[in-house]
Amino acid sequence: MSRRAAAGPWLALAAVLLLGGAALYQLTAGLSAWTLDQRRETRIARQTLRLPALDVRNQHGRPLRLFGAGGAAGPGPAVHIVDFIYTRCPTVCRALGAEFAQLSRQVEADGMAGRIGLVSLSFDPRDTVGDLLGYAGTYQARAPGWQVAAAAPDAMADLLHQAEVIAIADGLGGFEHNGGLHVVDAGGRVLSVHPLEDFQQAYAAALAHARGARP
């Protein structure tokens, strides 16, 4: 057997190990995170977690582009507070709606309308414009300050994947999903994520960014 033939299996193994190592490095955010939550936290801390530009329709059926320049929505707010909902949700989404209603009033009281925007994104392909309008009506969500919106299923699935947001059908017509509040700049960069109960911290983070960002 020639030396070249003998070396063949070892070269193939080295290539596999190299590719596997590269994949592991990427999946663990540079070997610094070993769970999905840790990886997501690492990406947020490094400000490498982004929401892609997303074409949606809001509660009035108006087309908008979120998290990207040059969309139908115009320049838009300097920062958004974003949550992920579905209108049939009987638990988490109701709590989020109540919190966003309070935040909406706070944005107005602080004179930050137009600088801080609220976005509730439905990931349920069953949600129609009428469903979005019904959810908006329940919590007095008024556009453009608070957009209740949905995108095409493929586009929403891509955003959930890129943002590492979990929404899993529970087999009973609903979803298991997290209730995090995402503070996102105008370009889609996720600045911070806050648990449901820490919505005031999410607002404080958005307020600090909006006041520091250029108009």
Side-chain angles (χ1 to χ4, degrees):
M1 180 182 297
S2 68
R3 291 182 179 178
R4 181 177 298 179
W10 294 106
L11 291 174
L13 178 60
V16 169
L17 291 174
L18 181 62
L19 291 172
L24 179 64
Y25 188 88
Q26 182 176 5
L27 287 171
T28 61
L31 303 179
S32 61
W34 293 95
T35 69
L36 289 177
D37 285 344
Q38 287 178 336
R39 185 180 73 174
R40 193 165 191 259
E41 290 171 2
T42 298
R43 292 182 66 193
I44 293 167
R46 293 176 178 175
Q47 297 192 344
T48 59
L49 188 68
R50 289 181 176 269
L51 304 187
L54 185 69
D55 292 315
V56 302
R57 288 191 179 273
N58 73 359
Q59 62 262 48
H60 301 297
R62 181 186 174 192
L64 306 168
R65 168 158 284 199
L66 300 173
F67 320 126
V79 62
H80 296 90
I81 303 176
V82 182
D83 66 356
F84 296 90
I85 62 143
Y86 66 105
T87 63
R88 294 165 177 78
C89 175
T91 53
V92 173
C93 303
R94 291 185 179 181
L96 287 169
E99 289 181 354
F100 266 42
Q102 183 173 333
L103 291 178
S104 179
R105 294 190 293 270
Q106 199 161 351
V107 168
E108 292 286 345
D110 290 341
M112 299 305 291
R115 299 290 292 155
I116 298 176
L118 305 180
V119 180
S120 293
L121 281 177
S122 170
F123 50 76
D124 188 345
R126 298 171 298 180
D127 278 340
T128 65
V129 169
D131 293 325
L132 301 177
L133 186 59
Y135 184 89
T138 298
Y139 301 104
Q140 300 182 340
R142 296 187 298 273
W146 180 359
Q147 308 280 4
V148 182
D154 288 349
M156 181 56 68
D158 182 60
L159 182 141
L160 294 176
H161 175 72
Q162 292 196 41
E164 299 183 0
V165 172
I166 304 299
I168 303 173
D170 62 11
L172 300 172
F175 295 86
E176 295 291 338
H177 68 104
N178 64 19
L181 280 69
H182 297 65
V183 180
V184 183
D185 72 11
R189 181 178 50 157
V190 178
L191 304 173
S192 58
V193 179
H194 305 266
L196 174 69
E197 62 272 16
D198 293 337
F199 68 101
Q200 287 292 351
Q201 292 182 15
Y203 180 73
L207 187 63
H209 181 80
R211 287 174 169 167
R214 294 180 180 179

